[in-house]
Amino acid sequence: MTRHLFVTGGVVSSLGKGLTSASIGMLLEARGLRVKMQKLDPYINVDPGTMSPYQHGEVYVLDDGSETDLDLGHYERFTTTPLTRDSNYTTGQIYLSVINKERRGEFLGKTVQVIPHVTNEIKEVVRRLADDDTDIVITEIGGTVGDIESLPFLEAIRQIPLDIGRENCMFIHLTLVPYLKAAGELKTKPTQHSVGLLRQIGIQPDVLICRTERGLDVSDREKIALFCNVPLEAVIEERDKDFSIYEVPLSLQNNRLDELILKRFGMQSISPDLDQWHDLLHRLRNPEHEISIAVVGKYADHRDAYKSIYEALDHGGIEHRAQVRVQPIKSEDVEREGAERLLSGFDGLIVPGGFGERGIEGKVEAIRFARERGMPFLGICLGMQCAVIDVARNLAGLEGAHSTEFSRSTPHPVICLLEEQHGVVEKGGTMRLGSQPAILLDGSKAALAYGTQSISERHRHRYEFNGHYRNALEAAGLVVSGTSPDGSLVEIVELADHPWFVAVQFHPEFKSKPTQAHPLFSGLVAASVVRHAGSAWVTEA
Ligand code: GLN
């Protein structure tokens, strides 16, 4: 029997529900349980793929090509749970499915309503994850309790215990216990109100995880327990972590959350194996090097726009015992102030993925700077396309070379629309998406980094390296080090006479883990460490 664990959030948004859910998943896996994870998002977009990064942060792409919420990135980084299209549903998707069923006449003339038709659809997508290979399904409900939008989701999860037994379900509510400076104390009232709202809906939480900047004392916990109708042991403190998000699972474990869940479900388990996790925190705490990496993109001012890239850089740092200081820089600022001024002090450069013309020239200029100065560089998706533009214009003498995404009339369209994209008009879910295999060139930097010649990586793009220019660009020094298995699509380019200049059409950041850094991020960090050591030597000399 698969058990269901639901995570809701109260009081305010941005409490780290995704991180907390991922941490729970990780703790349960560490105890030998088979976990699946899922997020239900209350907005009406069918998926976040059509949203601006300012609205939603990064779009996280899965192997199967689904474009999902960035919390799924936490799930994959913290656990081994297999994520698929079923791991993220939005209100839009739920309604789309209900309306399609209605059009097909599947409701046999009934009036179609939120309850039971929409709630049934929600219950079905939750229950779909329960199978013989799964001990616990963790479902995170997006939004904050009290939002009108999330009501159908909360109503649906209220009903699930009626269908499968209350003893097989557990509700965890993440809440905020703020510290009021003026009063000099922690305040439990917002938590009481939030749980009150949940109970009005018919959900009695089993566990409260209290986000707080100061430690809860026993009297705070007793008060919360009494007013919110939960046992004292189920009031769990989750102190703010200034150091690293990878501390969260260990702190929840210290507060015995995993034991509580197992006890609640009457499950036997092995004692948790957290060695790997302790080791990575030890490495993070005791770095031997320090490097600084510039990330030049359009959304440098948005914390979540390049989330997985920032995480993957940390992973590279963990592997090489380097503290990685990441500095996001707006590509438009590079256009205004020049690469020399903004990038000189850095040990490495990343130009991430993106869409739209704004800031493009700044990206190309940043890449040129890294290329000419021997600064380690990793280009990702649009970053790779910009690297090709730089090499075309400045090494191959193809004046005015550009991507047709930004200039239809360029004399040298070195980046052009993918063949399969001609005639595509709908925006949602229509890019080249998800995992694609690639073959690497023997002896190339990419092949050395991966330690293999056949890889699979996740994509999200409409434009590609224009094969007509391959010979000209290779003659100018560009090495095509990765292609689709049939050789038709260029997936990786690099430069031979440069310490680390590697640019990829896919998104390696989605497959990096704290316990296993992605080879390309590891490679960038390693090269940046070498550069940093070299420049320190030069300064001293
Ligand atoms: N805009 C480019 C394309 O569609 C790059 C996409 C990306 O960076 N994700 O091909």
Side-chain angles (χ1 to χ4, degrees):
M1 175 78 198
T2 305
R3 308 323 207 282
H4 286 270
L5 201 155
F6 300 101
V7 181
T8 55
V11 184
V12 292
S13 59
S14 304
L15 280 184
K17 240 182 314 139
L19 257 178
T20 302
S21 305
S23 301
I24 295 171
M26 175 263 176
L27 288 175
L28 296 176
E29 281 194 346
R31 287 194 172 257
L33 296 170
R34 297 160 307 167
V35 174
K36 278 202 189 136
M37 305 203 59
Q38 176 181 55
K39 175 149 194 214
L40 305 180
D41 275 309
Y43 51 76
I44 295 174
N45 304 63
V46 170
D47 61 43
T50 53
M51 283 191 221
S52 150
Y54 280 125
Q55 293 281 308
H56 190 271
E58 149 187 297
V59 174
Y60 189 79
V61 181
L62 303 182
D63 279 329
D64 69 4
S66 32
E67 299 173 277
T68 71
D69 184 78
L70 54 76
D71 276 336
L72 276 80
H74 291 310
Y75 301 172
E76 283 203 331
R77 287 187 282 271
F78 280 66
T79 72
T80 61
T81 172
L83 297 184
T84 67
R85 218 162 272 291
D86 284 328
S87 313
N88 192 195
Y89 279 91
T90 66
T91 294
Q93 255 167 289
I94 297 287
Y95 271 83
L96 192 61
S97 170
V98 170
I99 290 169
N100 284 337
K101 284 182 184 168
E102 186 273 337
R103 292 289 83 182
R104 291 196 298 267
E106 289 181 25
F107 295 111
L108 304 175
K110 293 212 177 76
T111 305
V112 182
Q113 296 178 300
V114 173
I115 304 173
H117 301 102
V118 168
T119 46
N120 281 351
E121 186 77 23
I122 297 170
K123 288 199 287 183
E124 197 188 306
V125 305
V126 172
R127 293 289 293 147
R128 201 174 285 165
L129 293 189
D131 58 25
D132 290 344
D133 299 325
T134 310
D135 298 311
I136 299 187
V137 173
I138 300 175
T139 301
E140 175 192 345
I141 313 293
T144 307
V145 169
D147 296 346
I148 291 175
E149 303 189 302
S150 52
L151 278 174
F153 289 113
L154 294 172
E155 169 58 16
I157 64 169
R158 177 194 73 79
Q159 294 174 17
I160 289 180
L162 296 175
D163 300 338
I164 64 167
R166 181 68 176 90
E167 68 284 6
N168 296 316
C169 300
M170 187 166 182
F171 294 97
I172 295 185
H173 188 57
L174 183 67
T175 168
L176 176 71
V177 181
Y179 176 77
L180 265 202
K181 235 201 212 139
E185 57 185 28
L186 288 168
K187 289 295 181 189
T188 65
K189 194 75 79 189
T191 296
Q192 295 176 37
H193 281 292
S194 172
V195 173
L197 275 174
L198 262 184
R199 291 169 71 193
Q200 266 176 33
I201 297 167
I203 295 173
Q204 167 63 55
D206 300 297
V207 174
L208 298 175
I209 299 181
C210 306
R211 280 295 305 272
T212 163
E213 57 179 289
R214 312 225 165 179
L216 298 176
D217 62 28
V218 179
S219 66
D220 296 320
R221 292 179 53 227
E222 280 173 350
K223 195 165 169 188
I224 294 171
L226 181 66
F227 283 93
C228 299
N229 195 33
V230 298
L232 183 62
E233 59 169 4
V235 180
I236 305 260
E237 172 188 301
E238 189 185 320
R239 280 279 276 283
D240 294 356
K241 301 280 171 289
D242 321 320
F243 178 63
S244 164
I245 56 169
Y246 299 119
E247 291 177 288
V248 175
L250 296 180
S251 123
L252 291 175
Q253 209 248 346
N254 276 339
N255 291 318
R256 311 191 126 159
L257 177 62
D258 50 343
E259 271 176 47
L260 207 67
I261 296 170
L262 294 167
K263 195 170 119 193
R264 175 71 170 65
F265 287 143
M267 284 175 152
Q268 300 297 325
S269 94
I270 52 171
S271 60
D273 176 6
L274 299 170
D275 287 355
Q276 254 195 334
W277 218 260
H278 283 292
D279 178 56
L280 81 86
L281 278 167
H282 176 77
R283 285 166 163 272
L284 264 178
R285 283 207 180 89
N286 301 286
E288 288 164 5
H289 316 279
E290 188 181 325
I291 55 167
S292 56
I293 304 281
V295 176
V296 174
K298 188 155 97 176
Y299 300 104
D301 52 349
H302 191 295
R303 209 168 53 108
D304 285 339
Y306 309 121
K307 181 122 202 139
S308 293
I309 290 179
Y310 299 153
E311 293 298 321
L313 279 169
D314 270 351
H315 305 161
I318 291 169
E319 182 167 326
H320 294 285
R321 309 227 32 174
Q323 173 155 15
V324 182
R325 301 207 178 277
V326 180
Q327 180 62 54
I329 295 175
K330 277 191 164 188
S331 44
E332 289 160 289
D333 290 347
V334 177
E335 289 170 10
R336 254 191 311 272
E337 298 180 41
E340 173 83 46
R341 203 185 124 120
L342 291 184
L343 298 178
S344 289
F346 290 96
D347 305 309
L349 169 71
I350 286 188
V351 176
F355 299 83
E357 196 183 359
R358 185 158 60 82
I360 280 294
E361 294 304 326
K363 294 176 192 177
V364 176
E365 200 181 322
I367 294 166
R368 176 181 191 166
F369 179 83
R371 178 174 56 75
E372 290 178 346
R373 303 297 174 94
M375 176 188 278
F377 161 69
L378 175 60
I380 296 176
C381 208
L382 182 60
M384 178 260 207
Q385 298 174 357
C386 289
V388 172
I389 293 169
D390 164 49
V391 169
R393 288 180 188 172
N394 301 312
L395 289 183
L398 300 171
E399 210 177 308
H402 220 321
S403 162
T404 54
E405 182 178 1
F406 313 119
S407 164
R408 280 174 198 274
S409 58
T410 170
H412 298 294
V414 288
I415 303 294
C416 61
L417 199 62
L418 279 157
E419 190 64 38
E420 67 198 37
Q421 288 288 323
H422 289 280
V424 172
V425 281
E426 279 208 12
K427 288 277 181 275
T430 55
M431 283 185 248
R432 177 174 182 237
L433 285 167
S435 280
Q436 310 284 344
I439 305 297
L440 308 185
L441 178 71
D442 194 17
S444 62
K445 286 192 177 70
L448 290 175
Y450 278 96
T452 170
Q453 275 178 262
S454 77
I455 60 164
S456 165
E457 292 282 4
R458 298 180 191 173
H459 294 66
R460 181 172 188 255
H461 63 120
R462 291 188 204 281
Y463 291 82
E464 62 161 331
F465 181 110
N466 184 346
H468 295 303
Y469 285 92
R470 185 163 165 176
N471 288 343
L473 293 171
E474 282 178 334
L478 194 71
V479 177
V480 171
S481 57
T483 63
S484 54
D486 67 0
S488 65
L489 298 175
V490 171
E491 305 284 28
I492 310 181
V493 297
E494 56 186 72
L495 291 176
D497 54 348
H498 187 287
W500 180 266
F501 187 102
V502 179
V504 297
Q505 184 55 77
F506 47 82
H507 290 271
E509 70 273 25
F510 296 145
K511 289 180 76 169
S512 189
K513 289 188 170 224
T515 48
Q516 196 175 17
H518 188 284
L520 296 179
F521 282 88
S522 172
L524 175 75
V525 168
S528 304
V529 166
V530 170
R531 178 178 170 89
H532 187 87
S535 61
W537 181 80
V538 170
T539 327
E540 276 160 34

